[in-house]
């Protein structure tokens, strides 16, 4: 069993969580879920970075103490990760005593060893970035990140002898090609190191800033926020308890490229100087751009993560982030692209496969022992599964989520073609072909079982639904993701609406509901307040007729209390119009109007459906139309 300790950056509490943070954290979550699936010992750390000038400033602007302000934002992060189903093992805050203690110990150790000295420095400073910029980095006299004017600051401070480690770091990067990946970022760090490396100012005078960890050897100074923050990865696992013992040597970091320099240059030199083993690997992803500019923690222009997960569901949001970005490169974010992916990959490829395979198996199974009539087509499915799993394993070695998913989707495509070619619905009509049918159904059940495992890191909700539908019990392990061993057709329940298609033409609030619409809590549950937003009422059908040119739609004239309105219902294949007149049904009364086949519909009739049977909800006692249903 190998050990895997993965960190996200700790997010700076100057702003609430946005899409950029969600992306990094979801990537880390997918990776940790994958490593757990492999059977590894996994520890997943995230947290918040809470000190520094920006925090003192934004707290003051909000009329709060830095502490109260940090508490509020840290709680917002924790709540966000909880709602997104993130499986972090720990959440560290840099204001916690366990962290401060380690920062002060490391500072004292470096000071005692002569690695820190007192000196004076003057330079161009960006308050937004909380760092000095060298002449070379400055663009038109401005911060390259913020495009704001820089301030010349000259003050006495403590410095870490970072310059001393320049040659060592270059050699380390040259000798260890995998230390920073993808390779372009290792090259970028080597590029920084072609310029003389400066010593790093690691303090701020308390006359200017009090919101920080006091230097253990001079109480007139607090620790520079980066020096403090980077140490979180180490302080979180330095408590000496059973849970975190032996983790440090296995640490890998996942970051966005905007913080490459602190992680690729400051951090390894700090560790080296402090005599702490280096991290194993730094994994760097690109930016998401939105409307042409990057989303980062310090620039506006951000999308709140929840707007999208609420609208399309967690899995669809995760899938888009993991599939759309080529790890290491930039990607561009748009809601349209998300909907396209949802419709094509999730609703069409995966959703349809799950739906039709489960329907076929439910109709033809269970079968305790299927005949050993394996044909070339079945063997192809087994091979495709083995290839998909190998692709996932290879891709996940280098955080290439997009390749892992492409591998799984190649398998889904193969199985969809297998369904078409083997035509189980035709086999079912001929009793002589029953043995072949059973073999095909077993292969389909096997394929669903495979997907229920390999999709788990990426689409945890959908994977769980698939496993539940096929009754897959027992431990969830990657090792079990093999197609070709199943010799029975299990009892399967039909999987429907795994990823409903988003109708891109219909107006918002039209009758095809968007998946996950409304704020969902943990485990897909909604709060009572969300349910109460839906106004359900008893309505009486006054008249009913078919909508011209439509097989499915009926136009109903209904009375809701004093009001009469028109409503379109998709039940024409199940009810004769005349049979509905005078019936009392239940409707969603506060749905936005939508036009279906040219008829404006004001509300939706509730009906239950099962295996092709559709049943309208009616009342078992007579109550007046307009009565509230809850
Ligand atoms: Zn800046």
């Amino acid at each position: 069993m190998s050990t895997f300790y993965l960190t996200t950056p700790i997010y700076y509490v100057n702003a609430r969580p946005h899409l950029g943070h969600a992306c990094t954290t979801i990537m880390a979550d997918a990776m940790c879920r994958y490593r757990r699936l492999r059977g590894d010992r996994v520890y997943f750390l995230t947290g918040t970075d809470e000190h520094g000038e920006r925090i003192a400033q934004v707290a003051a602007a909000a009329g709060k103490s830095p502490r109260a302000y940090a508490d509020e934002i840290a709680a917002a992060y924790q709540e966000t990760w909880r709602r997104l189903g993130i499986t972090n093992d720990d959440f560290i805050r840099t204001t916690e005593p366990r962290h401060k203690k380690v920062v002060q110990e490391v500072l004292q150790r470096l000071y005692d060893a002569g690695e820190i000295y007192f000196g004076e420095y003057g330079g161009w400073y960006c308050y937004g970035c909380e760092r000095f910029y060298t002449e070379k980095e400055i663009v038109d006299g401005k911060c390259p990140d913020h495009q704001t004017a820089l301030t010349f600051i000259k003050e006495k401070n403590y410095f870490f002898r970072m310059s001393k480690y320049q040659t060592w770091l270059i050699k380390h990067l040259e000798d260890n090609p995998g230390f920073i990946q993808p390779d372009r970022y290792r090259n970028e760090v080597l590029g920084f190191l072609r310029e003389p490396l400066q010593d790093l100012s690691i303090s701020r005078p308390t006359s200017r800033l009090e919101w920080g960890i006091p230097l253990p050897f001079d109480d007139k100074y607090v620790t520079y926020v980066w020096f403090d923050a980077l140490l979180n990865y180490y302080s979180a696992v330095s408590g000496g308890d059973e849970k975190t013992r032996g983790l440090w040597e296995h640490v890998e970091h996942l970051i966005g490229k905007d913080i490459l320099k602190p992680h690729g240059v400051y951090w390894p030199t700090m560790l080296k100087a402090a005599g702490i083993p280096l991290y194993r690997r730094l994994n760097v992803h690109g930016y998401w751009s939105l409307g042409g500019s990057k989303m980062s923690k310090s620039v506006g222009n951000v999308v709140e993560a929840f707007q999208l997960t609420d609208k399309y569901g967690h899995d669809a949001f995760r899938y888009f982030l993991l599939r759309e970005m080529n790890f290491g490169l930039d990607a561009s974010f748009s809601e349209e692209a998300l909907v396209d992916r949802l419709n094509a990959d999730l609703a069409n490829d995966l959703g349809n496969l799950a739906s039709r395979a489960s329907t076929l198996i439910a109709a033809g199974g269970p079968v305790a022992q299927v005949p050993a009539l394996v044909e070339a087509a079945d063997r192809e499915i087994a091979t495709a599964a083995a290839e998909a799993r190998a692709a996932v394993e290879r891709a996940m070695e280098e955080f290439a989520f997009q390749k892992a998913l492409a591998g799984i989707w190649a398998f889904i495509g193969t199985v969809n073609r297998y369904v078409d070619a083997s035509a189980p619905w035709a086999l079912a009509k001929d009793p002589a072909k029953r043995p072949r049918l059973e073999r095909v159904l077993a292969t389909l059940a096997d394929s669903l079982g495979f997907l229920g495992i390999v999709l788990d890191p990426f689409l945890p909700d959908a994977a769980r639904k698939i496993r539940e539908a096929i009754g897959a019990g027992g431990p969830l392990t990657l090792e079990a993701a093999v197609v070709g061993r199943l010799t029975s057709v299990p009892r399967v329940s039909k999987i429907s609406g795994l990823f409903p298609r988003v109708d891109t033409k219909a107006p918002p609030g039209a009758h095809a509901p968007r998946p996950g619409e409304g704020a969902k809590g943990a485990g897909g549950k909604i709060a009572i307040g969300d349910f109460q937003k839906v106004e359900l009422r008893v309505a009486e059908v006054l008249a009913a007729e078919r909508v011209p040119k439509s097989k499915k739609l009926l136009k109903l004239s209904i009375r809701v209390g004093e009001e009469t309105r028109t409503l379109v219902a998709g039940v024409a294949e199940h009810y004769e119009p005349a049979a509905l007149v005078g019936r009392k049904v239940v409707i969603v009364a506060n749905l936005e109007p939508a036009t279906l086949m040219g008829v404006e519909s004001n509300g939706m009739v509730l009906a239950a459906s099962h295996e092709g049977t559709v049943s309208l909800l009616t009342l078992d006692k007579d109550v007046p139309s307009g009565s509230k249903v809850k």
Side-chain angles (χ1 to χ4, degrees), residues 9 47 62 67-68 76 81 107 124 150 185-186 238 254 262 301 310 360 364-366 402 449 484 489 493 532 608 614:
R67 177 81 219 191
W81 303 149
L107 281 166
W124 292 100
L150 298 163
Y185 296 110
R186 183 176 73 114
S238 303
L254 174 65
N301 176 21
D310 286 353
L360 290 162
Q402 78 284 1
V489 179
S493 45
Q532 282 163 348
V614 169

Side-chain angles (χ1 to χ4, degrees), residues 126-131 133 143-148 150 298:
C126 172
Y127 282 94
C129 299
E130 298 186 34
R131 56 167 281 210
Y133 277 95
C143 166
D145 227 5
H146 289 87
Q147 277 97 46
T148 51
L150 298 163
S298 46

